[in-house]
Every structure is written in structure tokens, then in C-alpha cells.
Amino acid sequence: MSYTVPVPAAGPSAQPLANPVTVVSPQFHAPYPVDLVITEKMMSLKEGTFTVSDVNGNLMFKIKGSLFSLHDRRVLVDGADTPILSFRQKILTAHRRWHVYRGESSEAKDLLFTAKKSSFFQLKTELDVFLAANTKEEQYDFKVKGSWGERSCTIYTGDNTIIAQMHKKHDVKSVLFGRDAFGVTVYPHVDYAFIVAVVVILHEINMDRSGED
């Protein structure tokens, strides 16, 4: 199985972490900051809610989901359509909880992490992420803070170390084709497939008015 190797980021300065962050796989690490460009396909009801590319336009990931599973299931695939992660929403929960599994699985043994809104009422975007082993959830493993509306969010570890940052991107293609494009800078030695997965959940929660900040 082969993956596109991201090019070094041209975005914010980011220092390597003392301990690498691995949730999906160490093959999604890079020794330098990685800039990803996420392009949302507006008003799309078919497969491919959005795509993830490197700064040179090389496709890295896609989000797939059918018309009949818009709000409860998504699959993250690589450029060759190989499933990397599956996302399932737990229905009828006030905090909009999502479960993320390895591959196309939905079995407990393949659960990697869950994510939910930090509180029911939010003025700003805030998301708590819990690794599968953290069953008590007394303390989050990762935290997202910021404003989804402005595409300005920061992802932290449980000890408040920044591991990724989102920022709005404007270009001619976005304006002409009505697409929403934004960037994510992933810090060195941070699992960028995991970061993309967290952004997918942010996107899904905020697609619904009940989940907006």
C-alpha cells in the first residue's frame, strides 16, 4: 500500500514534539510541518463531502458517504480508495458524539477514538477527543478550540501542546466553483490522518444547525 508523501509546509512555524503523536499509524508522520488543503464540495449529496490534498494539489484523502448515510457514516479513503477510517455518529446524543474505527470496521476492537462537543451550548467551537483506551473519559486526550465559522481552530494534546492549526484559504477556484477551501498545518511527528479525522468530525457536527458554534 502506498501513500503520497506530503511536502514540507510553508505555513506557521512548528517545533517537533518531544513524543510523536500516533493514533492511526506512524506511516502518517512526517519529520516536518505538513500543510494540507481541505476542499469542501458545497451542496453535494453524493460521494465525496470533501477532499484533502497537499499544497501541490496532490490528492491524499477523500471522504466518502452515500445519500442515505449523510448524517451517520463516513469513510476516509486514500487516493487509491483504500479505506483508512470509518466514522459513525451515535444517534440522539446531545453532544453529537462520533466513533472512529480502523478501516471499514464498526467493531469495538477496532475503535480508535471518539469525539464529542465539549458542551451542549457553545459560543465557540470546542471538541473533546478520547482515545479508545480512555474508557472513563475523566480527562480528554485531545482538545479542539476556536471558531469553525472562521475555519480558525487549534488542536491540542491533553497537556495543552499544539499539534495542528486550521486557517481559512481563499483562491479563485473557491470563488468560481462555490467551494469552501481551508488549510490545516500539522506539526512534525503528528499523525496527519488522525488530524484529518478530527477535522472531518468538526465538519460533520457543524453541517447541522444543532451543531454550530
Side-chain angles (χ1 to χ4, degrees):
M1 190 181 301
S2 62
Y3 296 89
T4 302
V5 177
V7 298
S13 174
Q15 296 301 315
L17 303 178
N19 298 305
V21 173
T22 304
V23 177
V24 181
S25 171
Q27 67 184 331
F28 298 114
H29 282 191
Y32 41 72
V34 173
D35 269 350
L36 304 175
V37 178
I38 298 180
T39 304
E40 181 183 352
K41 296 180 180 179
M42 304 298 287
M43 300 179 68
S44 173
L45 296 178
K46 297 182 179 180
E47 288 189 353
T49 307
F50 54 80
T51 59
V52 182
S53 306
D54 64 20
V55 291
N56 289 329
N58 298 309
L59 180 66
M60 295 174 62
F61 302 106
K62 293 184 291 186
I63 304 302
K64 303 185 77 171
S66 72
L67 174 62
F68 302 103
S69 61
L70 277 177
H71 298 294
D72 58 16
R73 188 171 186 270
R74 287 284 183 268
V75 179
L76 177 72
V77 302
D78 65 12
D81 280 352
T82 302
I84 306 298
L85 298 170
S86 293
F87 307 78
R88 292 180 182 271
Q89 182 179 191
K90 188 173 182 180
I91 306 300
L92 302 178
T93 56
H95 292 258
R96 308 292 304 282
R97 180 184 290 269
W98 283 78
H99 297 252
V100 181
Y101 302 86
R102 190 178 302 282
E104 291 187 282
S105 177
S106 60
E107 298 184 21
K109 66 181 179 64
D110 293 314
L111 180 68
L112 292 176
F113 67 93
T114 64
K116 67 180 184 67
K117 290 172 59 180
S118 301
S119 60
F120 183 71
F121 295 107
Q122 294 185 177
L123 296 178
K124 290 289 185 179
T125 301
E126 198 164 333
L127 196 71
D128 292 342
V129 179
F130 305 93
L131 295 176
N134 184 2
T135 55
K136 292 185 177 181
E137 298 188 355
E138 293 176 350
Q139 172 64 34
Y140 55 79
D141 295 291
F142 300 93
K143 183 86 164 183
V144 184
K145 294 181 181 180
S147 170
W148 174 261
E150 297 176 3
R151 300 299 187 267
S152 177
C153 295
T154 301
I155 303 176
Y156 304 84
T157 60
D159 62 2
N160 261 356
T161 300
I162 296 175
I163 57 174
Q165 293 179 299
M166 292 174 54
H167 48 91
K168 186 73 175 176
K169 291 182 72 69
H170 295 283
D171 58 33
V172 175
K173 288 183 180 179
S174 298
V175 174
L176 290 179
F177 297 103
R179 300 184 303 180
D180 180 21
F182 56 96
V184 179
T185 298
V186 184
Y187 283 33
H189 304 296
V190 173
D191 185 334
Y192 54 84
F194 166 65
I195 298 299
V196 169
V198 171
V199 173
V200 167
I201 294 171
L202 277 173
H203 173 272
E204 294 303 316
I205 286 177
N206 286 280
M207 281 290 286
D208 191 313
R209 281 190 175 274
S210 64
E212 289 179 354
D213 52 321

